[in-house]
Amino acid sequence: MKQIKIQGGNLLSGTIAISGMKNAAVALIPAAILCDEEVTITNVPNISDKYALIEIIKLLNGQVTDQDATLKINTSDITSEIIPESLASKLRASYYFMGALLGRKKHVEIYFPGGCNIGNRKIDFHLKGFQLLGATVEEMEDKYIIHAEELKGTNIHLDFASVGATINLMLAAVKAQGKTIIDNAAKEPDVINVAEFLNNMGAKITGAGTNTITIEGVDYLHKATIEVLPDRIEAGTYLILGALIGENITITNIVKEHLSALLTKLIDAGVKMDIKENEIIIYGRQKLKAINVKTLVYPGFVTDWGQPMSVLLTQCEGSSIFEETIYENRMGHVPYLNKMGANMTLKNQTIKIQGPTPLKGQDVVASDLRAGASLVIAGLIADGTTLINDAEHILRGYERIVEKLTAVGAKLELIDIN
Ligand code: EPU
């Protein structure tokens, strides 16, 4: 088990460079399975989810080299289509091996995916889409067996613009016979990054980033390279931190348009920033005013920014409302922020936050990845010492978080208590 110990109250200044996007990287790595030759993925974040995915590829008899944020993956000789429980349950994104292996081998046996416990997180749209493409889906007690004699292009309407389902169905359809149209597709940059990778291999995908994605099936996918886009969730987390306790923090390696919904809210709250195309200088410690925030699909306010943002709202003058609309159970941070001195009232998936309230260091628990990130921010702005238990959740999604924050003047350490 890991803990992060934080001595709060230090002002931060300097530069934080944003790493590659976790939620794109965790789809790009399984997507490599579809390629009949070697692929290269650059700007891969060094997070624990990456290691779990590499382990799966190696288990399937794929070759992987991992050097300086670049992965070279060759799965031309993969022999297995079975992913055991010990690996599938390590992360949510193991479900991308469903689409990838189905597309490549027409067969996959995979134990239930793991990941943060933030709601129901059903995968019914993925499974229904595989069936529409011609696969049979058997749901056993603890695993799925998905098989197709052949996959045929079809029309798939998603009831909700799910990021995971959109990507998984693109993966399954890319080598199907004929044309697949995914309607009400997710428009997130993660989807665009994966479509670009597949197109670089010779796939014929149009419309990624819009509501309707069209995929013309192809037989062979060749050698290709892709760069993982910058992580807008990591950038958002550090922007929120900078707004609270940054003297002068520069966040580099960003894509400004991916951050629009967050930047608008920060400006509304009174945060001062110098926003450029690839970097943002943030001048924290302004007087902030209460605002309302509601999570939505892209280009709306991303659910993954919600927990960090709620810490900012504890420091705004007046009464703010934060509403989570994507997941049913993404409020694990609230009792701990209240323990630290916040005034948050939770009802269903809405928090009323009365601010500003000073925060005090406490022993807390990271219930999930972004809850953990919110507690890091809270610990850094609090008086005294905060000890975050179950900190391994945080390392699943933030590359070298302790080192990056130490470099801008934060006092924190990672403790291994195994
Ligand atoms: N949903 C269904 N059925 C489905 C698929 C989704 O009901 O078949 C529901 C989910 O239960 C959820 C909503 O639709 O309520 C959104 O799910 P979506 O499929 O969009 O999300 P996801 O693929 O499970 C990815 C990221 C999440 C991120 C969301 C939204 C990965 C591995 N996970 O999840 O990331 O919050 O998209 O952007 O890419 C995180 O990084 O902390 C994280 C949770």
Side-chain angles (χ1 to χ4, degrees):
M1 218 175 73
K2 294 186 192 311
Q3 296 174 321
I4 292 179
K5 189 174 178 186
I6 302 174
Q7 192 61 46
N10 271 27
L11 293 182
L12 309 182
S13 64
T15 299
I16 301 179
I18 297 307
S19 304
M21 193 195 308
K22 163 189 164 272
N23 287 344
V26 298
L28 291 166
I29 297 169
I33 295 266
L34 285 156
C35 190
D36 299 281
E37 301 174 13
E38 182 181 84
V39 296
T40 304
I41 310 175
T42 63
N43 198 32
V44 180
N46 203 9
I47 50 176
S48 51
D49 275 9
K50 176 185 86 168
Y51 295 103
L53 293 167
I54 291 176
E55 234 183 296
I56 295 177
I57 301 235
K58 286 187 171 165
L59 184 91
L60 299 173
N61 207 24
Q63 312 290 317
V64 185
T65 63
D66 177 9
Q67 204 177 15
D68 302 332
T70 297
L71 290 183
K72 286 188 183 291
I73 304 176
N74 190 332
T75 61
S76 49
D77 291 330
I78 54 167
T79 43
S80 170
E81 309 99 23
I82 300 171
I83 298 173
E85 185 171 17
S86 57
L87 289 174
S89 65
K90 273 195 180 167
L91 75 171
R92 190 87 202 140
S94 57
Y95 60 31
Y96 288 130
F97 285 99
M98 291 180 173
L101 279 169
L102 186 63
R104 173 78 189 278
K105 305 283 279 183
K106 311 277 180 290
H107 186 85
V108 53
E109 291 186 32
I110 180 167
Y111 284 78
F112 292 161
C116 291
N117 183 13
I118 51 179
N120 242 329
R121 308 195 79 179
K122 291 199 288 186
I123 57 165
D124 50 333
F125 309 149
H126 307 227
L127 302 176
K128 186 176 162 201
F130 297 145
Q131 285 168 328
L132 288 169
L133 284 162
T136 54
V137 176
E138 267 184 274
E139 184 171 343
M140 322 289 273
E141 202 183 316
D142 49 3
K143 67 173 176 182
Y144 297 103
I145 301 178
I146 308 172
H147 180 82
E149 290 305 315
E150 60 173 0
L151 294 168
K152 275 200 164 159
T154 185
N155 286 3
I156 302 172
H157 176 87
L158 298 178
D159 287 346
F160 178 83
S162 151
V163 176
T166 303
I167 292 177
N168 228 345
L169 295 172
M170 267 189 337
L171 297 177
V174 87
K175 285 182 159 179
Q177 284 173 24
K179 188 197 281 184
T180 298
I181 297 176
I182 306 175
D183 197 19
N184 195 27
K187 295 183 285 203
E188 271 73 355
D190 331 23
V191 176
I192 300 175
N193 213 180
V194 176
E196 193 189 341
F197 185 31
L198 296 170
N199 281 342
N200 291 349
M201 297 180 201
K204 291 185 179 161
I205 303 175
T206 53
T210 73
N211 286 321
T212 304
I213 298 179
T214 304
I215 304 144
E216 289 280 357
V218 295
D219 289 335
Y220 190 86
L221 293 174
H222 55 70
K223 196 175 168 116
T225 296
I226 189 73
E227 180 177 351
V228 182
L229 287 169
D231 195 314
R232 67 208 159 103
I233 313 304
E234 186 196 20
T237 305
Y238 293 138
L239 281 169
I240 290 164
L241 178 66
L244 289 167
I245 202 163
E247 275 196 295
N248 185 334
I249 293 262
T250 304
I251 310 287
T252 61
N253 191 24
I254 53 127
V255 179
K256 185 180 82 175
E257 69 173 279
H258 294 171
L259 297 166
S260 294
L262 174 65
L263 296 176
T264 305
K265 287 295 173 187
L266 292 177
I267 291 165
D268 288 352
V271 177
K272 299 272 179 288
M273 290 175 280
D274 208 347
I275 302 171
K276 301 178 185 163
E277 215 43 57
N278 304 112
E279 68 174 39
I280 297 174
I281 305 167
I282 187 151
Y283 309 101
R285 299 187 303 133
Q286 314 288 327
K287 199 166 159 39
L288 301 176
K289 58 175 186 291
I291 52 166
N292 295 338
V293 179
K294 181 176 178 171
T295 62
L296 289 168
V297 295
Y298 191 79
F301 191 96
V302 188
T303 167
D304 304 330
W305 289 327
Q307 290 157 306
M309 188 66 173
S310 65
V311 182
L312 184 122
L313 300 181
T314 68
Q315 303 307 307
C316 294
E317 177 88 44
S319 180
S320 298
I321 304 283
F322 171 78
E323 192 184 344
E324 165 60 32
T325 70
I326 310 293
Y327 294 111
E328 310 86 3
N329 184 24
R330 212 169 199 181
M331 296 295 176
H333 60 310
V334 172
Y336 295 109
L337 291 179
N338 278 341
K339 185 178 177 191
M340 294 176 78
N343 182 353
M344 297 178 137
T345 315
L346 178 62
K347 195 169 174 204
N348 301 320
Q349 291 311 301
T350 301
I351 324 173
K352 187 171 168 205
I353 304 158
Q354 193 65 40
T357 48
L359 301 183
K360 266 190 83 139
Q362 293 285 353
D363 277 17
V364 294
V365 180
S367 56
D368 59 78
L369 165 58
R370 309 298 170 188
S374 75
L375 294 171
V376 170
I377 298 174
L380 289 170
I381 68 170
D383 267 351
T385 307
T386 295
L387 188 65
I388 306 178
N389 292 287
D390 291 354
E392 51 276 5
H393 283 299
I394 302 168
L395 307 180
R396 286 194 36 232
Y398 290 87
E399 173 177 285
R400 295 185 301 108
I401 184 167
V402 170
E403 292 84 344
K404 285 190 185 189
L405 290 172
T406 302
V408 293
K411 293 253 174 304
L412 74 171
E413 60 178 313
L414 185 66
I415 303 169
D416 212 324
I417 57 168
N418 280 334

